[in-house]
Amino acid sequence: MAAVLIPIPERDFDPTEVAVSWKVLSDLGHQVRFATPNGTAAEADDLMVTGRGLDPWGFIPGLSHLVGIGRVLRADAVGRAAYGELLRAPALSNPIAWAEVDSDFDGLLLPGGHRARGMRPYLESRVLQDVVVGAFGDHKPVAAICHGVLLAARSIDPATGRSVLYGRKTTALTWALEHRAWSVARFTRFWDAGYYRTYHEEPGQPVGYMSVQQEVTRALARPADFLDVVPGTPDATRKSGGRARDTIGDQRPAFVVTDGSYLSARWPGDVHTFAKQFASML
């Protein structure tokens, strides 16, 4: 049995990436410990749990409970069920604080989320970046999915002055997936059109410059070290379509990348395969 640390923000983490990872690892006999900013219980992004607020009428009191498009955009039934289990688990209700994290863990898993209000403190935390640098320096298995890869990319090894991902191959939330979700939300959640963009471009920066894929790529040794589904490979359409999600018994929609003791994935649709593969690395 391995001890796995999963740091999460106080709010707005992705329910599927956190809960399914926890469930798969726990079911396989591993011990999962969560860390939050102040050691208090955290909450996932409610929009991803319920779908309420993802429809054009979502801002109208009394109508927001009517979920239409939100049923497609929210976490699927498996992810919501896993999150429901996690809410009742001691692991989530008794986390440690980020500042209390030491080296007493065997593997580090970095989940994602996209809502800026909760995710930015997580992605910008120097405390967590130091934890990531330490895990890579100790050659511990590290897994990152979606925006979690961005946290890893921002973690600078003081010995080299470069990201811990420099010289490694990785994937992350692709611009194609991020742009697709953002394009939909600009119409369905028009009063908060940037909901799916954690960071926005500054004047003069091209569209997509502050996307997860482009920022992660800038931290790598070569742009070619950022990997995505290659057209024409088996199940390429299923993997890149943004609708099909993997399950515990079907990894065809998933795309993950392994580089030594480092594992990465793109979005919640990869999470079962991601968590199972990480378990095998521990």
Side-chain angles (χ1 to χ4, degrees):
M1 178 179 70
V4 179
L5 176 70
I6 304 182
I8 54 176
E10 182 179 28
R11 58 181 180 177
D12 295 333
F13 59 82
D14 183 85
T16 302
E17 293 171 3
V18 171
V20 171
S21 294
W22 161 79
K23 181 171 176 56
V24 170
L25 290 169
S26 298
D27 287 350
L28 291 173
H30 299 292
Q31 181 183 23
V32 177
R33 189 76 185 271
F34 289 99
T36 63
N38 299 307
T40 55
E43 296 181 358
D45 183 350
D46 184 66
L47 273 69
M48 288 291 98
V49 177
T50 66
R52 292 192 295 267
L54 293 173
D55 293 287
W57 55 83
F59 68 99
I60 303 174
L63 291 181
S64 61
H65 68 283
L66 300 175
V67 181
I69 296 172
R71 291 181 180 274
V72 178
L73 298 178
R74 70 184 181 183
D76 67 4
V78 175
R80 298 196 308 276
Y83 182 60
E85 287 187 48
L86 179 58
L87 288 176
R88 300 187 294 272
L92 187 65
S93 58
N94 295 286
I96 61 174
W98 287 350
E100 296 173 350
V101 173
D102 55 25
S103 60
D104 190 22
F105 59 87
D106 302 307
L108 178 66
L109 191 150
L110 307 175
H114 54 263
R115 200 170 191 180
R117 65 176 190 178
M119 290 304 296
R120 284 190 177 187
Y122 169 78
L123 297 171
E124 297 168 6
S125 170
R126 292 296 300 272
V127 171
L128 290 185
Q129 290 169 17
D130 287 345
V131 170
V132 175
V133 171
F136 273 92
D138 292 338
H139 305 290
K140 294 182 178 181
V142 177
I145 182 170
C146 194
H147 283 66
V149 181
L150 184 53
L151 173 56
R154 291 178 172 182
S155 300
I156 306 301
D157 185 344
T160 64
R162 292 170 170 164
S163 168
V164 295
L165 297 187
Y166 189 88
R168 293 182 180 267
K169 297 186 184 300
T170 190
T171 191
L173 179 66
T174 63
W175 174 233
L177 290 171
E178 187 174 357
H179 185 264
R180 190 175 302 144
W182 177 43
S183 297
V184 172
R186 279 187 291 174
F187 295 98
T188 63
R189 191 176 167 83
F190 59 88
W191 68 95
D192 181 22
Y195 166 67
Y196 275 105
R197 295 294 309 278
T198 309
Y199 294 94
H200 295 270
E201 286 72 35
E202 299 292 335
Q205 293 177 339
V207 175
Y209 183 82
M210 291 305 298
S211 67
V212 173
Q213 177 175 345
Q214 291 204 29
E215 184 173 347
V216 168
T217 300
R218 289 194 292 273
L220 305 179
R222 304 178 306 149
D225 288 341
F226 187 98
L227 304 183
D228 194 6
V229 179
V230 176
T233 56
D235 299 305
T237 300
R238 189 193 303 260
K239 293 178 184 296
S240 59
R243 292 292 301 276
R245 300 183 182 221
D246 73 351
T247 66
I248 198 67
D250 182 7
Q251 66 179 23
R252 290 176 298 170
F255 179 76
V256 300
V257 173
T258 304
D259 186 330
S261 60
Y262 169 62
L263 172 70
S264 58
R266 305 166 303 166
W267 73 302
D270 301 330
V271 71
H272 290 87
T273 304
F274 168 76
K276 284 173 62 178
Q277 191 151 328
F278 189 53
S280 71
M281 295 167 61
L282 292 168

